[in-house]
Amino acid sequence: MAVRSKSGAVAADGAVAPRPKVRIEEVARAAGVSAATVSRVLNRTALVSDDLRDRVEAAAREMGYVAHGAARALASRRSRAMGAVVPTLTNTIFSDAIEAFQQRLDAEHHTMLLATYDYDEELEYRTVRTMIERGVDGLMLVGSMHPPHLLELLEASGVPFVQTWASPRRSEHPAIGYDNGALARIVVDHLVGLGHREIGMVAGLTRHNDRVQARIAGVRGAMRRHKLRLPPERIVYTRYRIEDARAALREMQQRGPMPTALLANNDVVAMGLVVEAAAQGLCVPGDLSIIGVGDLEMAAHMRPPLTTVRTPKRAIGAMAADYLLARSNGRDFDLPPELSMELVVRGTTAPPPMRHKDPDS
Amino acid sequence: MAVRSKSGAVAADGAVAPRPKVRIEEVARAAGVSAATVSRVLNRTALVSDDLRDRVEAAAREMGYVAHGAARALASRRSRAMGAVVPTLTNTIFSDAIEAFQQRLDAEHHTMLLATYDYDEELEYRTVRTMIERGVDGLMLVGSMHPPHLLELLEASGVPFVQTWASPRRSEHPAIGYDNGALARIVVDHLVGLGHREIGMVAGLTRHNDRVQARIAGVRGAMRRHKLRLPPERIVYTRYRIEDARAALREMQQRGPMPTALLANNDVVAMGLVVEAAAQGLCVPGDLSIIGVGDLEMAAHMRPPLTTVRTPKRAIGAMAADYLLARSNGRDFDLPPELSMELVVRGTTAPPPMRHKDPDS
DNA sequence: TTGTATGCGTTATCAT
DNA sequence: ATGATAACGCATACAA
């Protein structure tokens, strides 16, 4: 089935010629005013007498006038568009944040340009470059670890930008996020409080992911405060797929004595661990405690329900939008030093299983 | 913490003046050629001698030249941007499709403008209008049910558009999707084949959602072919949250004799049903068969694993991009009459429980 | 193959 | 409060 647009003429070369669009000049003529006045009315950029305003609005509506964005951007030197460059949309933490970001932009009559780079540094760089070329008024990035020259490019362009899921205290550039050190303390304190001393991590891939590294450092630090250690063999790295998380659990089991509690990089990984443990006949939390990060909707409904740390996904997106909006208007915007999290204790954490003392000792 | 861009001067009114950007004219001067030649080199739009090409490319690179998108769009009358207007990103079927859509666009050096409207018709209209104003070269919509005048606006604008998750055979406008009637047949045939005769639906909200209506009609038709009926009381409507799906199951139970099998509108709803059934001590699939749509990642890992229908999420997004790219270039593009689905039989469907014959009859 | 000149549709500056 | 006019930065038709 060959489909053709029903409107617009088709030229010899097959190109679709859009219907002649009505321009500001024609609206002006119809309303008996100058183009400048039409512009003023439509943008509410200066006072216009009620009479003229009404005539202009009526004419614009009748003629179905739609402003030409590129021309407007060229003349006003603002695109009213903000870019968002994220690793992926598959992870709902990003899609939630993005949705909040866009909604906030929309309220201020801005549009969102979105691109994903699938954790590929080179692609991230090209994408940002494209966004700058598109003339975005601001740019939202993820994390504080970027390919070489990316920040240089950004600063040279003069485009306001903000890093999300990055620690404001550790980055010299504008950042919004929570402190992974604080998150680690919350989790470790909870587990140690339950009696765990052997704690392991199922982390994300660290390659190009500073959040993972910060998390590991945080857990290590938090454990040290309890005189505990987090040796490398207690850290397994995984992608964020259930399948991979299950393999990660098996991998850790093969490495030697199992920890009594595992911190998963996020809820999806945690679910994978729970699923694999169940498949092996292990009891969660009886034999193994598991804790996630993110508090996805499903977390509360699993059996057992997942203990996790709730992070402010939508708040991050909304704040990023507010920040960029402010900056692109030349206003200052105070970014909080960090956002808060909340431990949600449910059914996958409990005291560790009893250990028989070694009779020989 | 007040953050300021480190580049760019700050004017008295607080507005950030971006660094003077290098324009094509200056690159031309540096390379000792005309602006036209620079344009030709950078856009590969015409043949340029090797010598000049090298000089231009070197100059552009050194000076960090980045083209001005708005000016380019104004002059070339193409924005190299495509719009995507979807109900929400929370539902992963859309975020998956969107990701594929954007990746395909990126390969053709196009950018994606994305906006969600949260199933709000009025907002959908305004959003599309904004997209047109932004000068998108094409627009991806969801479904075939739109607010009044939306299609008119679209046709008047001459912007190519395509409806996803819409039946190409039932819409007079370009559409990509699978046939909900076919989907219904697949599901009903499976359940009836197992011996079910009392089948219920936990559908989405029909308000502004033609997919749901088509699905219901499809199931009703498929059941009729087996001499079965789908009375209104066997249809419960729900939002796509686990919590709501659980309530939907209870609602159906209150309505009278329970069906022996339920078709959920999607996998998230199906998971909610499974969770609620388990919480009530019901055995799935022993007491109740449940089938979803979508085949989310989690579906295969639940216990019991979810029987579902796999739909071509990413293919829809990719094909939408290909279609719009072709149309905006004046090329034809054959849209297939429908995309195929696949029944994935797992552990939540089984023959219905034995029924004792009513001794009185 | 390369350069010149014009136009893209709007906003902003400057008069009035 | 309103109108005339000059940018805005690039692509492209035309000329050479």
Side-chain angles (χ1 to χ4, degrees), chain B residues 221-240:
Chain B
M223 289 181 70
R224 203 157 35 221
R225 291 180 33 186
H226 292 283
K227 312 267 188 256
L228 300 175
R229 284 183 353 102
L230 177 64
E233 65 269 21
R234 290 255 169 86
I235 307 176
V236 171
Y237 299 90
T238 179
R239 295 177 184 286
Y240 304 153

Side-chain angles (χ1 to χ4, degrees), chain A residues 68-79, chain B residues 68-75:
Chain A
H68 190 296
R72 168 178 283 177
L74 183 57
S76 69
R77 267 152 292 197
R78 325 193 53 207
S79 65
Chain B
H68 189 297
R72 168 179 284 175
L74 183 57

Side-chain angles (χ1 to χ4, degrees), chain A residues 26-360:
Chain A
E26 309 169 38
V27 176
R29 203 172 315 141
V33 299
S34 72
T37 296
V38 175
S39 173
R40 283 191 274 254
V41 170
L42 267 30
N43 295 312
R44 290 161 176 65
T45 182
L47 265 46
V48 175
S49 67
D50 291 0
D51 174 39
L52 288 196
R53 180 157 42 71
D54 292 348
R55 269 159 51 197
V56 169
E57 282 173 348
R61 201 173 332 107
E62 274 178 38
M63 307 175 74
Y65 172 72
V66 177
H68 190 296
R72 168 178 283 177
L74 183 57
S76 69
R77 267 152 292 197
R78 325 193 53 207
S79 65
R80 289 171 170 276
M82 298 281 179
V85 179
V86 301
T88 175
L89 289 183
T90 302
N91 191 328
T92 58
I93 72 168
F94 295 129
S95 53
D96 283 357
I98 286 298
E99 193 164 296
F101 182 76
Q102 187 262 318
Q103 286 169 359
R104 197 59 67 95
L105 289 184
D106 188 64
E108 299 297 327
H109 307 290
H110 281 243
T111 303
M112 177 181 71
L113 269 53
L114 175 66
T116 61
Y117 55 88
D118 200 21
Y119 297 97
D120 177 336
E121 279 203 318
E122 161 68 11
L123 184 51
E124 181 187 7
Y125 184 88
R126 293 207 320 267
T127 302
V128 166
R129 200 191 140 86
T130 301
M131 291 274 179
I132 292 172
E133 190 162 327
R134 289 291 190 272
V136 292
D137 292 339
L139 199 50
M140 165 184 149
L141 302 175
V142 171
S144 57
M145 205 170 161
H146 304 287
H149 312 307
L150 178 50
L151 268 350
E152 290 174 32
L153 173 66
L154 234 24
E155 304 232 302
S157 73
V159 174
F161 68 95
V162 61
Q163 306 175 111
T164 55
W165 276 278
S167 169
R169 297 199 299 209
R170 286 183 207 174
S171 176
E172 44 183 330
H173 301 290
I176 301 174
Y178 47 85
D179 181 2
N180 275 293
L183 186 151
R185 273 192 299 282
I186 292 175
V187 170
V188 170
D189 288 355
H190 170 60
L191 294 175
V192 171
L194 288 170
H196 293 273
R197 303 188 57 81
E198 320 288 317
I199 300 174
M201 283 185 77
V202 180
L205 299 182
T206 58
R207 221 173 110 77
H208 309 158
N209 189 332
D210 48 330
R211 283 87 72 202
V212 169
Q213 296 180 359
R215 188 86 51 90
I216 292 173
V219 169
R220 190 164 272 138
M223 289 182 71
R224 204 157 33 220
R225 290 180 33 185
H226 292 283
K227 312 268 188 255
L228 299 175
R229 284 183 354 102
L230 178 65
E233 66 268 21
R234 292 253 170 87
I235 307 177
V236 171
Y237 299 90
T238 180
R239 295 180 183 283
Y240 305 153
R241 307 212 55 192
I242 304 270
E243 198 67 63
D244 299 317
R246 296 183 63 164
L249 179 62
R250 295 193 295 270
E251 159 80 16
M252 185 162 294
Q253 290 168 323
Q254 285 169 1
R255 288 191 183 177
M258 271 291 285
T260 57
L262 291 177
L263 166 60
N265 196 79
N266 58 45
D267 282 358
V268 171
V269 171
M271 290 180 195
L273 298 179
V274 171
V275 164
E276 177 63 20
Q280 293 185 13
L282 287 174
C283 180
V284 173
D287 298 318
L288 178 67
S289 283
I290 292 171
I291 184 165
V293 176
D295 195 23
L296 298 191
E297 191 196 2
M298 193 63 195
H301 298 279
M302 305 166 42
R303 295 185 56 102
L306 185 67
T307 296
T308 187
V309 180
R310 185 176 299 150
T311 53
K313 301 180 277 283
R314 293 189 61 92
I316 289 177
M319 186 173 293
D322 287 339
Y323 173 81
L324 294 177
L325 253 6
R327 293 297 303 144
S328 77
N329 282 321
R331 295 199 312 272
D332 265 355
F333 189 98
D334 287 341
L335 254 15
E338 65 183 51
L339 302 183
S340 60
M341 295 148 292
E342 184 185 357
L343 176 69
V344 184
V345 178
R346 290 198 273 246
T348 56
T349 48
M354 295 294 192
R355 283 264 168 102
H356 298 286
K357 289 284 179 192
D358 185 349
D360 291 344

